[in-house]
Every structure is written in structure tokens, then in C-alpha cells.
Amino acid sequence: MKRILLAAVSLVTLISCLSVARADDGYRLWLKYDLISNPRKLDEYRAAIKAFLVEGNSPTIEAARHELHIGLDGLLGAKIPEVSRLDKNDILIVGTYRHSPLFEGMKVRSKLDRIGPEGFLIFTEKIDGKSATVVTANTDIGVLYGVFRFLRMLQTEQDIRNLDIVSFPRIKLRMLDHWDNLNGTVERGYAGFSIWNWHTLPIYIKPRYIDYARANASIGINGAVLNNVNADPRIMTRHYLVKVAALAEVFRPYGIKVYLCANFDAPILLGDLKTANPLDPKVQDWWKEKVKEIYSYIPDFGGFLVKANSEGQPGPSDYGLTQADGANLLANAIRPYGGIVMWRAFVYTYNAKDRAKQAYEIFKPLDGKFASNVLLQIKNGPLDFQPREPFSPLFGAMPHTNLMMEFQITMEYLGQGTSTVFLAPLFKETLESDTYAKGKGSTVAKVIDGSLDGHTLTGIAGVSNIGADRDWTGNEFGQSSWYAFGRLAWNPNLTSKEIANEWIRMTFSNREDVIKPIERIMLQSREDVVNYMDPLGLNMIFGYNNHYGPGPWVDWSSHPDWNSTYYHRADSVGVGFDRTKTGSDAVSQYNPPLDKEFGSLKRCPDKFLLWFHHVPWKYKMKHGETLWDDICYHYYAGVDSVREMQKIWNSLKGKIDYAEWNSERMYLEIQEHEAVWWRNACVLYFQTFSKMPIPKGLPKPDKTLKYYEGLKFPNAPGTW
Ligand code: GCV
């Protein structure tokens, strides 16, 4: 362990030393620890932290100690000594609370009772007449989280006098789901190849694995599912388990457990049995043995994530059984070890009248039928990570089941790796949605933090956007959504602005004339993308299979619901999917009063209009324009906003690192090009139905619809 930590330290130290001399390539994420540039703050911090004292020497405390060495030395620009006794003023004291002379005088017992096993306290204290800043917790991992928080306060130039911080996570399992394949590719991965090198593991521990753990611990992520939900069963064989165990060892000090995606047919595919029927005792024994073997390699293995009976994956329906029967099979096998099962609700068949209704129809009747160590993992919307969807109605419909959220951080449907889209506003929109399950105020956040229905096994997962690219996410702004996911998993009440502000300060600069413009870009970026891709509730109109660029004309798939035309339903009368009572009646899956609100053409929020209604082209919108004109205005506004982002970004030249600035400049150029492409292709396509002119004053597309329909993208990522 020590060897691993030292490698990390020397790497980061080396990088920090080099950072002044060379261009920033994004590798250091938000943990840059560059010298504080504000002289007043620097003086204040140097005066408050003359030394630090760390109690303990567990691997986790060692990780905290090393982070303090790197962080304080880098931020304060001087070697801050570590001391072993409290014999000076202005010392930072770090350690797990215990009955020792050091902690005895501190009146923190009642606060410690409130923060659970992962929370922490940071406070200013006088000990034996000496002034100190204390970071403490009930456990070592709480201390490590507290250290990261304290360092963040310095990085973001907060006031560190008179502190009294009490912090703890609202959600228990805060997971990154990696859709990484064993051959090194990543499903929907836009940042190069997989971060895991299965060839060189278990011996070769890339420094990147350690930095991955540091970054995740710094935002409180405590679980990683290592492989794709389209699961290769070989991950559960000895060959891979020793490699998984090596990663688990790296992550352990940072409080991160590993989880694996299980293939439901593993008993057959690994060559042992002829069936995977959950009711067959041989199958049950097979899973028990398999789980026993996994725990023999990884004693703190977290559990399984399963995609069953979806997009070709096997599952319990193959045996005429329910999803609960399948989940409980694995749950029973893993329960003796304290493991859990995350069972995905992303289940659908290809020929449903309305795919958006399926998950609810399949899972709602199973409420209360899942074992207590199962969490049902539900995508934020009823379909599939669209730029905007209403929340999945399952969040308001299964009070007797542990429900966890699945967000997608990787931007499959949001411009993929090259676009600048800060996802906190999307995450927040879902978390703040009111399900009305128990009257007003029954938000999705309260469902998944367990407070609404009294659940203690709670979780939130983000499909990772991390890859082997030097800057981890392909585009440095991708890091901001990873960061936002972790911060919201810890505290869903944070605002998008608070999160953006922190990230900008740590990534680019604490200067107001840098923060404000970047904040503007970030906070508007999600709405911009909605405008030029899928305004007014349109959805699923992407290029076939690679999901790259516009493809509203796609109608050739033998799976009806893989066609764009299935979703937008444009015809000579209008556009949109009628999900009202007279249509598919998906509105009835929402609790009152939402069913009525979504079901009423007049009251339905514009942002979901075409999700729930088939609306005539000439329908008068709230501001008096026709639907057709409004659609056009949104598409054109989307492009204008990207150009505005470019202008704002260009104004930052010289104020931030050139390499970072130039990289984003080029990405925004790609985004502008794509926004124009989306706008022109969609407006021309929908015009073939509306037969109405593009509103006056808006420039006409300079290419034909045929041109856009004929574009091919052999190098677009995302199809493997
Ligand atoms: C992992 C969508 C994506 C698939 C993904 C699937 C899922 O359909 O396009 O690549 O597969 O969601 O979430 O399982």
C-alpha cells in the first residue's frame, strides 16, 4: 500500500512542479493544488496552518496524510511540517475521534452522533490555549473526506477562520458505473479506451488508478462498477478476479468498493450448467459458490449490477419468471457476505405501443417483492438519457422497494465527448421533480435518499465518462459533470451554480473575471443543447446506432422503437407523441396532479409538450406564435447560444492556461458546427411535414435535406 501511495505522491508532486513550466493537459483534474494566487489569502492560510498533525496510520489515514503533504505544500508554496505533538499555535489536527488526550476536551460527541460512518466535522478550536483547526470523524474514511473538503476550501479561497462544518452524505451508495468491455473498448465511451488495463493487471498498478481513487474520494464517490452492463461473464472467472482484486486493493484506502456486472446466464456461459433458471437448486448453488469464490479474492466486494432481459441480455423472463425472481436469486447468494444487488429497470421489448410505459408496467406490480439487499436502479427518465425527459414515474410508484437513480455522465445523447454540457442542471431537474407520491414535496431526491419511504439502503449511480485520454474525459469540461455527480450524490441540495463555481475555481482560476464568464457558459450549456437538438419535448431523433448527430428521418430499423419516427410522429397535422388518455395514456403513470397537468395541452409545461402531446403545426403557443415557428426559434436560438459561448470563451484568452483555453476553443468550434448541422437538418426535415416557411429574419439552411440524410460518420465513437 505504502508503495502505491508513494508512487502517487511523487507523480503528483512532479506534475505540480512542472505545471508552471508546461501547458496544462487536464490530467490533474480538480486536484491541482497550485500555489494560491491571491496574496491576502495566501498570507491568511499560511498564518493559520503553520504545521499539521495526523493521528493514526491506517492506509486511509496514510492517504489523508499524503494528500495533506501534496495539497498544503502546493497551495501554500512551502513545505508545511508535519508534527507529532501539539506544541505550537495554528496547527491543523486531523484524525478519527477517539478517547485520547488530544480529542478529550473537544465538545463534539453530539455532532459525531449525527454524521454516521462517512461524515466529518471541521472546526476551529482552542486546545490547551493553542489555536487549532480540527478535521475529525467517526471513521478514517470520514477523516479522508474531511481532508479533501478542507483542501477544497483552500483551493476555492474560502474563509477558514471560525469554522464549524458538519457534513455527511445523504445517499449511501454513490457509484460510478463503467461501461468498459474486457477488450479495452468502452460502450458509449467518448474518452478513448478503458481506464482498466486488463492485460497488465494485477501486477502493474498504473498511477492513474490511484489518481482515479483520489479524485473520486475527493467528491465522496464510494463505489465503482468496473465492467459494462452488457456483461461478459468472464469477468467472474479467476483470470479476471485477481485483477479485480488488485484494483480493489488500490481503491480500498479511499473508501471505494468494487462491484461487477453479472451476466444472468453465467452458469451456462461459463460452461457449468445447462440452465440459468433461478428456481433451479443447481443454479442457486452455482451462484452461492461463485459468490464465495469472489469474496475469497475480494473480501469487501460490494455486489452485482445486472441488466436483464434488455437489448439482448438474458434474464428471468427467459424462464417465464419475474424480474424480482431474478434479482432475489443473486441477492440470496450474496446476502451472507453483506453484498447487494443493483437490478436495472431499463427493461423493454421492441414492439411496445409506447416504450416509455414499459418499465413502469413491468416493475410497479413487483413493488415489495424484492429482497431487502436489492436496489432497483432506474434511469432518470422513462426512456434513455435524452437531453430532456420527465422523471421516470417509477420514482413515485414503488414505496416498498429500495430505488436508486441512474444518471448518465457520459454524453451519449448530448453531443458525446466533444460538446460542452455541464450536467448538474439536468441532474438537479430530475432530483427536484415532485413525484407527489405522498403529496406535494415528495421529490425524487427524497425518494432516493430514502427519507420519503424510510429506506436505509439508498443509492445513486452515474454512467462514467472516464477513459484513457490524458484528461480523463476527452474534453476538460466533461470533468465538471463527473465532479457535479459526486457532489450531488453527497448532497442533492447543492445548486448547479455552487458546484460550477467550485469546479471553475479548482480547475481554472479564482479570479472573478474568469469565474463569472465560465459559470455563464456552464449554467446555460444544457439548455442550449436541448434547444438545438430536441426542443419542446422532442426526443430520440439521433443518428442510427452511433447516436451521433441528427437522424429524425431514421425509420428503417426492424425494432420499431429504434426508429426516430416512432418518437416524433410528425405528419401533415402536427408533431409529438400523444401520451394523453386518448393516446398511449402514459400520463396516468404519474401521480395526481401531474397526470392531469401533463395530460392537458394547455397546462403541460412547454419543455415536455411534444413528449406528451401530438400538437398541430399551427397550434398557438403561450406567447402567440405557432408551434412550427416556436420549434424554429428554439433551433436557431440553440445555435446562437453556442456562438455566444464561443465569444465568452474567446474573451478568456490570456486569463487561463493557454493549452486549456485552446483545447476548449477547438471543441466549441466543433460544437458550433454540430449545432448548425442539427438545426438545419431538423428544420428541413420537419418542414417536409409542416409545409410552413422558416420564420422571417432567420437565415435559410444552405444545404438540402438530402445532403444531411446522406452524411456518414465511419469514425464516430460510441458504437462498440
Ligand atoms: C449499455 C442505451 C445505450 C446502450 C446501453 C443501454 C443501457 O440503449 O445506447 O449502449 O447499453 O442504453 O443502458 O443498457
Side-chain angles (χ1 to χ4, degrees), residues 522-540:
M522 289 171 74
L523 295 178
Q524 75 177 37
S525 59
R526 187 276 186 127
E527 210 54 47
D528 296 345
V529 121
V530 169
N531 280 341
Y532 69 72
M533 286 185 180
D534 287 310
L536 297 170
L538 284 169
N539 60 89
M540 289 284 205

Side-chain angles (χ1 to χ4, degrees), residues 313-430:
Q313 295 300 305
S317 320
D318 304 344
Y319 304 93
L321 297 169
T322 70
Q323 294 288 311
D325 294 323
N328 294 346
L329 164 75
L330 272 68
N332 290 338
I334 207 165
R335 184 180 300 107
Y337 304 86
I340 55 120
V341 173
M342 294 163 288
W343 193 264
R344 295 180 90 218
F346 183 66
V347 179
Y348 67 97
T349 53
Y350 298 125
N351 44 16
K353 275 213 178 108
D354 182 0
R355 182 173 137 187
K357 287 179 70 179
Q358 282 195 285
Y360 183 100
E361 283 167 347
I362 295 167
F363 286 95
K364 160 97 181 135
L366 300 177
D367 188 26
K369 302 247 160 56
F370 289 91
S372 59
N373 59 334
V374 173
L375 295 108
L376 188 63
Q377 182 166 312
I378 306 167
K379 288 189 182 185
N380 58 291
L383 277 178
D384 191 11
F385 301 137
Q386 296 303 288
R388 170 164 278 133
E389 295 189 34
F391 69 91
S392 164
L394 277 173
F395 287 114
M398 299 186 68
H400 307 295
T401 306
N402 303 316
L403 303 182
M404 75 183 273
M405 170 66 69
E406 181 175 309
F407 283 127
Q408 193 181 45
I409 311 174
T410 202
M411 302 199 303
E412 176 176 355
Y413 297 99
L414 284 138
Q416 308 193 340
T418 52
S419 293
T420 298
V421 189
F422 177 52
L423 294 179
L426 187 159
F427 300 157
K428 288 287 292 180
E429 185 171 292
T430 308

Side-chain angles (χ1 to χ4, degrees), residues 179 187-188 228-230 307 310-311 344 346 348 355 379 384-385 406 408 412-413 463 545 547 562 718 720:
W179 284 358
E187 170 127 4
R188 309 301 175 190
N228 193 349
V229 285
N230 295 331
K307 170 176 177 178
S310 169
E311 300 183 335
R344 295 180 90 218
F346 183 66
Y348 67 97
R355 182 173 137 187
K379 288 189 182 185
D384 191 11
F385 301 137
E406 181 175 309
Q408 193 181 45
E412 176 176 355
Y413 297 99
V463 177
N545 206 18
H547 299 163
W562 283 9
W720 36 61

